[in-house]
Amino acid sequence: MERGTDMRSGQATGRERESGRQVRRIARRAAQRTRGAGGCAPDGVHDPAVPAGPPNALALLPWLLLGMGAVSNIVQGKTPNPWVGVVGLLAFNSLYVTLVFRAFHKEAREAPGTRWCLVALGAVTCALALAYGGNWLLFFPLLGLATGAVVRGRRLGPVMFGVTAVAAVVAGRSGGMDTLGIAYGTFLSGMVTAAILALSETVKQLRDTRQELARAAVDQERLRFSRDLHDLLGHTLSVIVVKSEAARRIAPRDMDAALDQVRDIESVGRQALTEIREAVTGYREASLAAELDRARGALTAAGIEPVVRQSGPPLPPQTAALLGWVVREAATNAIRHSGAATCEIELHSSAERAVLVITDDGNGVGSTPPGSGLTGLGERLALAGGTLGSGPAPGRGFRVTAELPLEPAGGEEDGEGR
Protein backbone atom coordinates (compact mmCIF):
# COMPACT_ATOMS: atom_id res chain seq x y z
CA MET A 1 0.00 0.00 0.00
CA GLU A 2 2.75 2.45 0.92
CA ARG A 3 4.60 1.60 -2.28
CA GLY A 4 1.43 2.17 -4.36
CA THR A 5 0.81 5.44 -2.58
CA ASP A 6 4.38 6.60 -3.29
CA MET A 7 4.01 5.66 -6.95
CA ARG A 8 0.75 7.62 -7.28
CA SER A 9 2.32 10.56 -5.44
CA GLY A 10 5.33 10.48 -7.79
CA GLN A 11 3.06 10.34 -10.83
CA ALA A 12 1.03 13.31 -9.52
CA THR A 13 4.20 15.29 -8.92
CA GLY A 14 5.39 14.50 -12.44
CA ARG A 15 2.06 15.61 -13.88
CA GLU A 16 2.25 18.85 -11.90
CA ARG A 17 5.75 19.57 -13.21
CA GLU A 18 4.68 18.76 -16.73
CA SER A 19 1.68 21.08 -16.29
CA GLY A 20 3.99 23.86 -15.09
CA ARG A 21 6.22 23.42 -18.14
CA GLN A 22 3.11 23.46 -20.34
CA VAL A 23 2.01 26.78 -18.79
CA ARG A 24 5.43 28.33 -19.47
CA ARG A 25 5.34 27.09 -23.08
CA ILE A 26 1.85 28.54 -23.53
CA ALA A 27 2.98 31.87 -22.07
CA ARG A 28 5.95 32.06 -24.44
CA ARG A 29 3.74 31.13 -27.39
CA ALA A 30 1.26 33.80 -26.33
CA ALA A 31 4.02 36.39 -26.32
CA GLN A 32 5.12 35.38 -29.81
CA ARG A 33 1.61 35.41 -31.25
CA THR A 34 0.72 38.70 -29.58
CA ARG A 35 3.91 40.21 -30.98
CA GLY A 36 2.98 38.86 -34.42
CA ALA A 37 -0.39 40.63 -34.23
CA GLY A 38 1.48 43.90 -34.73
CA GLY A 39 1.84 43.02 -38.39
CA CYS A 40 5.35 44.46 -38.74
CA ALA A 41 8.48 42.42 -39.20
CA PRO A 42 11.94 43.82 -38.38
CA ASP A 43 13.18 46.64 -40.59
CA GLY A 44 9.68 47.21 -41.93
CA VAL A 45 9.63 43.93 -43.96
CA HIS A 46 6.16 42.43 -43.97
CA ASP A 47 5.98 38.75 -43.21
CA PRO A 48 3.15 37.09 -45.21
CA ALA A 49 2.55 34.70 -42.32
CA VAL A 50 1.85 37.58 -39.92
CA PRO A 51 -1.55 39.32 -40.11
CA ALA A 52 -1.28 42.92 -41.23
CA GLY A 53 -2.32 45.87 -39.10
CA PRO A 54 -1.85 46.85 -35.45
CA PRO A 55 -2.99 44.51 -32.65
CA ASN A 56 -6.65 44.73 -31.71
CA ALA A 57 -9.13 43.08 -29.39
CA LEU A 58 -9.63 40.11 -31.72
CA ALA A 59 -5.94 39.19 -31.33
CA LEU A 60 -6.48 38.63 -27.58
CA LEU A 61 -9.71 36.63 -27.73
CA PRO A 62 -8.22 33.25 -28.84
CA TRP A 63 -6.39 32.98 -25.52
CA LEU A 64 -9.72 32.14 -23.90
CA LEU A 65 -8.99 28.62 -25.18
CA LEU A 66 -6.75 28.27 -22.13
CA GLY A 67 -9.99 27.70 -20.25
CA MET A 68 -10.88 24.60 -22.26
CA GLY A 69 -9.41 22.43 -19.51
CA ALA A 70 -11.95 23.82 -17.06
CA VAL A 71 -14.76 23.25 -19.58
CA SER A 72 -13.55 19.66 -20.03
CA ASN A 73 -13.69 19.10 -16.26
CA ILE A 74 -17.29 20.31 -16.15
CA VAL A 75 -18.34 18.15 -19.11
CA GLN A 76 -16.67 15.04 -17.63
CA GLY A 77 -18.30 15.63 -14.24
CA LYS A 78 -15.04 16.17 -12.40
CA THR A 79 -16.13 19.56 -11.04
CA PRO A 80 -18.19 19.74 -7.85
CA ASN A 81 -21.24 21.97 -8.10
CA PRO A 82 -20.93 22.25 -11.90
CA TRP A 83 -23.56 24.99 -12.15
CA VAL A 84 -21.37 27.20 -10.00
CA GLY A 85 -18.48 26.48 -12.36
CA VAL A 86 -20.61 27.29 -15.41
CA VAL A 87 -21.70 30.62 -13.90
CA GLY A 88 -18.09 31.38 -12.99
CA LEU A 89 -16.95 30.61 -16.56
CA LEU A 90 -19.63 32.85 -18.04
CA ALA A 91 -18.74 35.66 -15.65
CA PHE A 92 -15.00 35.33 -16.38
CA ASN A 93 -15.46 35.25 -20.17
CA SER A 94 -17.85 38.20 -20.13
CA LEU A 95 -15.52 40.34 -18.00
CA TYR A 96 -12.48 39.32 -20.07
CA VAL A 97 -14.13 40.17 -23.42
CA THR A 98 -15.38 43.48 -22.03
CA LEU A 99 -11.91 44.46 -20.78
CA VAL A 100 -10.19 43.42 -24.00
CA PHE A 101 -12.47 45.53 -26.18
CA ARG A 102 -12.30 48.53 -23.86
CA ALA A 103 -8.49 48.32 -23.70
CA PHE A 104 -8.06 49.56 -27.28
CA HIS A 105 -9.98 52.83 -26.77
CA LYS A 106 -8.22 55.34 -24.57
CA GLU A 107 -11.35 56.95 -23.12
CA ALA A 108 -12.92 53.59 -22.29
CA ARG A 109 -9.64 52.17 -20.98
CA GLU A 110 -9.18 55.04 -18.52
CA ALA A 111 -12.80 55.06 -17.35
CA PRO A 112 -13.50 54.01 -13.72
CA GLY A 113 -15.83 51.25 -14.93
CA THR A 114 -12.93 49.51 -16.66
CA ARG A 115 -10.93 49.39 -13.44
CA TRP A 116 -13.90 47.92 -11.58
CA CYS A 117 -14.26 45.28 -14.30
CA LEU A 118 -10.61 44.35 -13.84
CA VAL A 119 -11.08 44.05 -10.08
CA ALA A 120 -14.15 41.87 -10.64
CA LEU A 121 -12.20 39.68 -13.08
CA GLY A 122 -9.49 39.21 -10.45
CA ALA A 123 -12.04 38.27 -7.82
CA VAL A 124 -13.73 35.73 -10.10
CA THR A 125 -10.35 34.24 -11.06
CA CYS A 126 -9.31 33.83 -7.42
CA ALA A 127 -12.67 32.33 -6.46
CA LEU A 128 -12.60 29.75 -9.27
CA ALA A 129 -8.95 28.86 -8.62
CA LEU A 130 -9.48 28.41 -4.86
CA ALA A 131 -12.68 26.44 -5.37
CA TYR A 132 -11.47 24.01 -8.04
CA GLY A 133 -7.69 24.32 -8.54
CA GLY A 134 -6.06 22.26 -11.30
CA ASN A 135 -6.86 23.52 -14.80
CA TRP A 136 -8.80 26.44 -13.32
CA LEU A 137 -5.48 27.99 -12.33
CA LEU A 138 -4.83 28.69 -16.02
CA PHE A 139 -7.21 31.63 -15.76
CA PHE A 140 -4.45 33.55 -13.96
CA PRO A 141 -2.35 34.02 -17.15
CA LEU A 142 -5.55 35.33 -18.79
CA LEU A 143 -5.98 37.72 -15.87
CA GLY A 144 -2.39 38.88 -16.40
CA LEU A 145 -3.04 39.38 -20.12
CA ALA A 146 -6.14 41.49 -19.42
CA THR A 147 -4.20 43.49 -16.83
CA GLY A 148 -1.39 44.22 -19.29
CA ALA A 149 -3.92 45.34 -21.90
CA VAL A 150 -5.76 47.73 -19.57
CA VAL A 151 -3.12 49.12 -17.22
CA ARG A 152 -0.50 51.41 -18.79
CA GLY A 153 2.35 53.60 -17.64
CA ARG A 154 3.98 53.56 -14.23
CA ARG A 155 1.09 51.76 -12.55
CA LEU A 156 1.67 48.62 -14.62
CA GLY A 157 4.70 47.37 -12.65
CA PRO A 158 3.13 47.47 -9.16
CA VAL A 159 -0.19 46.10 -10.42
CA MET A 160 1.46 43.21 -12.27
CA PHE A 161 3.61 42.32 -9.26
CA GLY A 162 0.46 42.27 -7.13
CA VAL A 163 -1.43 40.06 -9.59
CA THR A 164 1.57 37.71 -9.87
CA ALA A 165 1.87 37.45 -6.08
CA VAL A 166 -1.82 36.62 -5.74
CA ALA A 167 -1.49 33.99 -8.48
CA ALA A 168 1.50 32.42 -6.72
CA VAL A 169 -0.27 32.33 -3.34
CA VAL A 170 -3.49 30.84 -4.73
CA ALA A 171 -1.58 28.27 -6.81
CA GLY A 172 0.48 27.32 -3.78
CA ARG A 173 -2.63 26.84 -1.59
CA SER A 174 -4.46 24.73 -4.20
CA GLY A 175 -1.42 22.57 -4.89
CA GLY A 176 -2.81 21.49 -8.22
CA MET A 177 -0.07 22.86 -10.50
CA ASP A 178 3.44 24.15 -10.40
CA THR A 179 3.30 27.45 -8.49
CA LEU A 180 6.32 28.88 -10.30
CA GLY A 181 4.81 28.08 -13.69
CA ILE A 182 1.52 29.84 -12.88
CA ALA A 183 3.30 32.90 -11.49
CA TYR A 184 5.71 33.02 -14.43
CA GLY A 185 2.91 32.67 -17.00
CA THR A 186 0.82 35.38 -15.30
CA PHE A 187 3.65 37.89 -15.10
CA LEU A 188 5.00 37.20 -18.59
CA SER A 189 1.61 37.37 -20.32
CA GLY A 190 0.82 40.73 -18.71
CA MET A 191 4.17 42.41 -19.28
CA VAL A 192 4.59 41.19 -22.87
CA THR A 193 1.06 42.27 -23.77
CA ALA A 194 1.63 45.72 -22.29
CA ALA A 195 4.98 46.07 -24.10
CA ILE A 196 3.53 45.05 -27.47
CA LEU A 197 0.57 47.40 -27.14
CA ALA A 198 2.79 50.29 -26.04
CA LEU A 199 5.09 49.64 -29.01
CA SER A 200 2.10 49.57 -31.33
CA GLU A 201 0.89 52.94 -30.04
CA THR A 202 4.39 54.39 -30.45
CA VAL A 203 4.55 53.17 -34.05
CA LYS A 204 1.15 54.73 -34.72
CA GLN A 205 2.31 58.04 -33.27
CA LEU A 206 5.45 57.90 -35.42
CA ARG A 207 3.33 57.25 -38.52
CA ASP A 208 1.09 60.20 -37.66
CA THR A 209 4.14 62.40 -37.08
CA ARG A 210 5.65 61.35 -40.41
CA GLN A 211 2.43 62.21 -42.21
CA GLU A 212 2.27 65.56 -40.46
CA LEU A 213 5.86 66.32 -41.46
CA ALA A 214 5.07 65.38 -45.04
CA ARG A 215 2.08 67.74 -45.04
CA ALA A 216 4.23 70.50 -43.54
CA ALA A 217 6.88 69.97 -46.24
CA VAL A 218 4.22 70.24 -48.95
CA ASP A 219 2.85 73.43 -47.39
CA GLN A 220 6.35 74.85 -47.15
CA GLU A 221 7.02 74.08 -50.81
CA ARG A 222 3.74 75.68 -51.82
CA LEU A 223 4.65 78.77 -49.81
CA ARG A 224 8.09 78.93 -51.44
CA PHE A 225 6.57 78.59 -54.89
CA SER A 226 3.96 81.28 -54.26
CA ARG A 227 6.60 83.67 -52.93
CA ASP A 228 8.86 83.10 -55.91
CA LEU A 229 6.02 83.63 -58.37
CA HIS A 230 4.94 86.80 -56.56
CA ASP A 231 8.46 88.22 -56.61
CA LEU A 232 9.14 87.19 -60.20
CA LEU A 233 5.86 88.14 -61.84
CA GLY A 234 5.31 91.29 -59.81
CA HIS A 235 8.63 92.76 -60.87
CA THR A 236 8.45 91.51 -64.45
CA LEU A 237 4.93 92.73 -65.12
CA SER A 238 5.74 96.09 -63.59
CA VAL A 239 8.73 96.48 -65.91
CA ILE A 240 6.64 95.42 -68.92
CA VAL A 241 3.91 97.93 -68.05
CA VAL A 242 6.42 100.76 -67.54
CA LYS A 243 8.26 100.06 -70.79
CA SER A 244 5.00 99.71 -72.70
CA GLU A 245 3.90 103.13 -71.45
CA ALA A 246 7.30 104.58 -72.38
CA ALA A 247 7.08 103.08 -75.89
CA ARG A 248 3.56 104.50 -76.33
CA ARG A 249 4.68 107.97 -75.25
CA ILE A 250 7.78 108.22 -77.44
CA ALA A 251 6.49 106.35 -80.51
CA PRO A 252 5.02 109.48 -82.16
CA ARG A 253 8.34 111.36 -81.74
CA ASP A 254 11.05 108.69 -82.05
CA MET A 255 10.12 105.33 -83.54
CA ASP A 256 13.63 103.87 -83.10
CA ALA A 257 13.58 104.60 -79.36
CA ALA A 258 10.09 103.09 -79.15
CA LEU A 259 11.35 99.94 -80.92
CA ASP A 260 14.19 99.74 -78.40
CA GLN A 261 11.60 99.72 -75.62
CA VAL A 262 9.64 96.99 -77.42
CA ARG A 263 12.82 94.92 -77.76
CA ASP A 264 13.41 95.39 -74.02
CA ILE A 265 9.87 94.17 -73.36
CA GLU A 266 10.56 91.07 -75.44
CA SER A 267 13.82 90.46 -73.58
CA VAL A 268 12.15 90.92 -70.19
CA GLY A 269 9.38 88.50 -71.19
CA ARG A 270 11.83 85.82 -72.30
CA GLN A 271 13.87 86.27 -69.13
CA ALA A 272 10.68 85.95 -67.05
CA LEU A 273 9.87 82.63 -68.75
CA THR A 274 13.32 81.32 -67.89
CA GLU A 275 13.07 82.48 -64.29
CA ILE A 276 9.63 80.92 -63.86
CA ARG A 277 10.93 77.57 -65.11
CA GLU A 278 13.84 77.82 -62.66
CA ALA A 279 11.50 78.76 -59.83
CA VAL A 280 9.28 75.75 -60.55
CA THR A 281 12.26 73.42 -60.30
CA GLY A 282 13.49 75.23 -57.18
CA TYR A 283 16.96 76.10 -58.49
CA ARG A 284 16.66 79.82 -59.04
CA GLU A 285 18.80 82.14 -56.91
CA ALA A 286 18.56 85.87 -57.37
CA SER A 287 21.96 87.41 -58.22
CA LEU A 288 22.51 90.70 -56.41
CA ALA A 289 24.54 92.23 -59.25
CA ALA A 290 21.96 91.20 -61.84
CA GLU A 291 19.10 92.50 -59.70
CA LEU A 292 20.86 95.84 -59.23
CA ASP A 293 21.28 96.17 -63.00
CA ARG A 294 17.64 95.29 -63.59
CA ALA A 295 16.53 97.72 -60.91
CA ARG A 296 18.53 100.52 -62.57
CA GLY A 297 16.93 99.80 -65.94
CA ALA A 298 13.40 99.48 -64.58
CA LEU A 299 13.63 102.60 -62.43
CA THR A 300 15.07 104.62 -65.32
CA ALA A 301 12.32 103.45 -67.66
CA ALA A 302 9.73 104.50 -65.04
CA GLY A 303 11.24 107.98 -64.82
CA ILE A 304 12.85 107.38 -61.43
CA GLU A 305 16.53 108.23 -61.04
CA PRO A 306 18.41 105.29 -59.49
CA VAL A 307 21.31 105.95 -57.12
CA VAL A 308 23.31 102.85 -56.18
CA ARG A 309 26.10 102.85 -53.57
CA GLN A 310 28.09 99.80 -52.48
CA SER A 311 30.85 99.46 -49.92
CA GLY A 312 32.56 96.64 -48.09
CA PRO A 313 33.88 93.18 -49.02
CA PRO A 314 32.08 90.80 -51.41
CA LEU A 315 29.10 88.95 -49.97
CA PRO A 316 28.65 85.17 -49.69
CA PRO A 317 26.36 83.74 -52.42
CA GLN A 318 23.47 82.95 -50.07
CA THR A 319 23.47 86.44 -48.56
CA ALA A 320 23.75 88.08 -51.98
CA ALA A 321 20.82 85.98 -53.23
CA LEU A 322 18.58 87.03 -50.34
CA LEU A 323 19.48 90.70 -50.75
CA GLY A 324 18.83 90.36 -54.50
CA TRP A 325 15.23 89.42 -53.70
CA VAL A 326 14.95 92.51 -51.48
CA VAL A 327 16.25 94.76 -54.26
CA ARG A 328 13.75 93.26 -56.72
CA GLU A 329 10.76 93.67 -54.40
CA ALA A 330 11.65 97.19 -53.21
CA ALA A 331 12.29 98.41 -56.77
CA THR A 332 8.99 96.93 -57.94
CA ASN A 333 7.12 98.66 -55.11
CA ALA A 334 8.82 101.99 -55.89
CA ILE A 335 7.82 101.74 -59.56
CA ARG A 336 4.22 100.74 -58.86
CA HIS A 337 3.30 102.75 -55.78
CA SER A 338 5.70 105.55 -54.89
CA GLY A 339 5.51 108.16 -57.64
CA ALA A 340 9.08 109.02 -56.64
CA ALA A 341 11.69 110.98 -58.56
CA THR A 342 14.71 109.32 -56.94
CA CYS A 343 15.40 105.88 -55.46
CA GLU A 344 18.60 105.27 -53.49
CA ILE A 345 19.99 101.78 -52.99
CA GLU A 346 22.79 101.58 -50.41
CA LEU A 347 24.64 98.40 -49.52
CA HIS A 348 27.16 98.36 -46.67
CA SER A 349 28.90 95.13 -45.66
CA SER A 350 31.46 94.22 -43.04
CA ALA A 351 32.98 91.03 -41.71
CA GLU A 352 29.92 90.43 -39.51
CA ARG A 353 26.85 91.95 -41.18
CA ALA A 354 25.42 93.27 -44.43
CA VAL A 355 22.95 96.15 -44.43
CA LEU A 356 20.83 97.08 -47.45
CA VAL A 357 18.81 100.30 -47.37
CA ILE A 358 16.46 101.27 -50.22
CA THR A 359 14.86 104.71 -49.96
CA ASP A 360 12.62 106.60 -52.35
CA ASP A 361 11.28 110.15 -52.13
CA GLY A 362 7.77 109.31 -53.20
CA ASN A 363 4.44 109.46 -51.45
CA GLY A 364 5.21 106.62 -49.01
CA VAL A 365 2.82 103.92 -47.82
CA GLY A 366 3.14 104.30 -44.08
CA SER A 367 -0.59 104.16 -43.48
CA THR A 368 -1.07 100.75 -45.13
CA PRO A 369 0.17 97.35 -43.98
CA PRO A 370 3.11 95.79 -45.82
CA GLY A 371 2.26 93.68 -48.84
CA SER A 372 2.67 89.94 -49.15
CA GLY A 373 6.01 90.42 -50.93
CA LEU A 374 7.63 92.25 -48.02
CA THR A 375 6.03 89.85 -45.55
CA GLY A 376 7.45 86.83 -47.38
CA LEU A 377 10.87 88.45 -47.60
CA GLY A 378 10.80 89.17 -43.88
CA GLU A 379 10.14 85.49 -43.20
CA ARG A 380 12.98 84.45 -45.51
CA LEU A 381 15.45 86.78 -43.83
CA ALA A 382 14.29 85.67 -40.39
CA LEU A 383 15.11 82.05 -41.28
CA ALA A 384 18.63 83.21 -42.17
CA GLY A 385 18.97 85.11 -38.88
CA GLY A 386 18.35 88.53 -40.41
CA THR A 387 15.68 91.22 -40.21
CA LEU A 388 13.61 93.25 -42.64
CA GLY A 389 12.10 96.60 -41.74
CA SER A 390 9.91 98.89 -43.82
CA GLY A 391 8.10 102.16 -43.24
CA PRO A 392 8.06 105.90 -43.96
CA ALA A 393 11.44 107.51 -44.49
CA PRO A 394 12.38 110.59 -42.45
CA GLY A 395 10.86 113.62 -44.16
CA ARG A 396 9.22 112.05 -47.20
CA GLY A 397 9.20 108.74 -48.99
CA PHE A 398 9.46 105.07 -48.05
CA ARG A 399 12.38 103.02 -46.75
CA VAL A 400 13.17 99.31 -46.73
CA THR A 401 16.04 98.09 -44.53
CA ALA A 402 17.42 94.56 -44.62
CA GLU A 403 20.15 93.20 -42.32
CA LEU A 404 21.82 89.82 -42.56
CA PRO A 405 24.62 88.25 -40.48
CA LEU A 406 27.68 87.02 -42.35
CA GLU A 407 29.73 83.93 -41.54
CA PRO A 408 33.49 84.54 -41.46
CA ALA A 409 35.14 83.49 -44.71
CA GLY A 410 36.94 80.17 -44.37
CA GLY A 411 35.30 79.52 -40.99
CA GLU A 412 34.95 75.84 -41.70
CA GLU A 413 38.59 75.47 -42.70
CA ASP A 414 39.71 77.24 -39.54
CA GLY A 415 37.53 74.96 -37.48
CA GLU A 416 39.04 71.90 -39.14
CA GLY A 417 42.55 73.26 -38.64
CA ARG A 418 41.99 73.63 -34.95
Side-chain angles (χ1 to χ4, degrees), residues 25-40 49-56 58-66 145 188-189 192-193 196-197:
R25 286 196 299 270
I26 291 174
R28 285 193 296 269
R29 199 176 301 121
Q32 295 172 356
R33 293 187 181 179
T34 306
R35 185 182 301 111
C40 293
V50 177
N56 51 44
L58 298 178
L60 303 181
L61 293 182
W63 299 111
L64 285 173
L65 295 176
L66 284 173
L145 192 149
L188 184 64
S189 62
V192 170
T193 300
I196 296 301
L197 295 182

Side-chain angles (χ1 to χ4, degrees), residues 20 23 134 137-138 140-141 167-168 171 177-187:
V23 169
L137 292 172
L138 291 176
F140 273 110
M177 278 194 178
D178 181 30
T179 302
L180 180 61
I182 294 296
Y184 176 78
T186 303
F187 181 79

Side-chain angles (χ1 to χ4, degrees), residues 167-236:
V169 171
V170 173
R173 287 177 60 87
S174 65
M177 278 194 178
D178 181 30
T179 302
L180 180 61
I182 294 296
Y184 176 78
T186 303
F187 181 79
L188 184 64
S189 62
M191 296 303 291
V192 170
T193 300
I196 296 301
L197 295 182
L199 179 62
S200 174
E201 291 181 355
T202 303
V203 171
K204 182 178 181 300
Q205 292 174 358
L206 290 175
R207 284 201 191 110
D208 294 341
T209 302
R210 183 175 61 184
Q211 293 176 359
E212 186 64 28
L213 289 175
R215 285 192 293 268
V218 171
D219 293 340
Q220 187 68 23
E221 182 62 17
R222 288 174 178 169
L223 182 60
R224 179 201 69 81
F225 186 61
S226 64
R227 287 173 180 170
D228 285 356
L229 285 183
H230 174 275
D231 295 340
L232 290 170
L233 295 180
H235 175 78
T236 301

Side-chain angles (χ1 to χ4, degrees), residues 117-366:
C117 283
L118 185 60
V119 172
L121 182 68
V124 171
T125 303
C126 292
L128 293 175
L130 288 172
Y132 299 117
N135 290 327
W136 297 79
L137 292 172
L138 291 176
F139 287 117
F140 273 110
L142 288 174
L143 173 63
L145 192 149
T147 303
V150 172
V151 182
R152 306 288 175 86
R154 297 179 179 178
R155 295 178 299 174
L156 176 63
V159 172
M160 279 307 306
F161 276 113
V163 172
T164 303
V166 171
V169 171
V170 173
R173 287 177 60 87
S174 65
M177 278 194 178
D178 181 30
T179 302
L180 180 61
I182 294 296
Y184 176 78
T186 303
F187 181 79
L188 184 64
S189 62
M191 296 303 291
V192 170
T193 300
I196 296 301
L197 295 182
L199 179 62
S200 174
E201 291 181 355
T202 303
V203 171
K204 182 178 181 300
Q205 292 174 358
L206 290 175
R207 284 201 191 110
D208 294 341
T209 302
R210 183 175 61 184
Q211 293 176 359
E212 186 64 28
L213 289 175
R215 285 192 293 268
V218 171
D219 293 340
Q220 187 68 23
E221 182 62 17
R222 288 174 178 169
L223 182 60
R224 179 201 69 81
F225 186 61
S226 64
R227 287 173 180 170
D228 285 356
L229 285 183
H230 174 275
D231 295 340
L232 290 170
L233 295 180
H235 175 78
T236 301
L237 294 177
S238 298
V239 173
I240 290 175
V241 169
V242 169
K243 287 187 174 290
S244 298
E245 292 176 350
R248 178 176 53 82
R249 288 196 306 268
I250 65 177
R253 302 190 307 271
D254 190 346
M255 184 57 67
D256 292 337
L259 291 175
D260 289 339
Q261 295 294 335
V262 172
R263 281 191 289 269
D264 288 344
I265 293 172
E266 180 183 2
S267 176
V268 170
R270 293 183 183 277
Q271 181 64 29
L273 289 175
T274 302
E275 290 176 347
I276 289 174
R277 293 191 189 99
E278 293 174 349
V280 170
T281 56
Y283 293 117
R284 184 182 186 279
E285 292 292 348
S287 169
L288 180 57
E291 294 299 339
L292 288 173
D293 290 339
R294 291 175 185 170
R296 287 192 187 96
L299 290 169
T300 301
I304 302 174
E305 180 185 359
V307 179
V308 180
R309 303 187 184 93
Q310 290 182 265
S311 62
L315 300 177
Q318 185 65 25
T319 303
L322 288 173
L323 294 180
W325 285 111
V326 177
V327 170
R328 172 185 282 260
E329 179 64 24
T332 301
N333 289 340
I335 293 170
R336 296 173 60 184
H337 306 299
S338 70
T342 305
C343 181
E344 297 183 0
I345 303 175
E346 301 180 65
L347 175 62
H348 304 284
S349 60
S350 63
E352 293 81 19
R353 298 188 70 80
V355 180
L356 175 67
V357 180
I358 303 174
T359 309
D360 63 65
D361 58 357
N363 300 323
V365 290

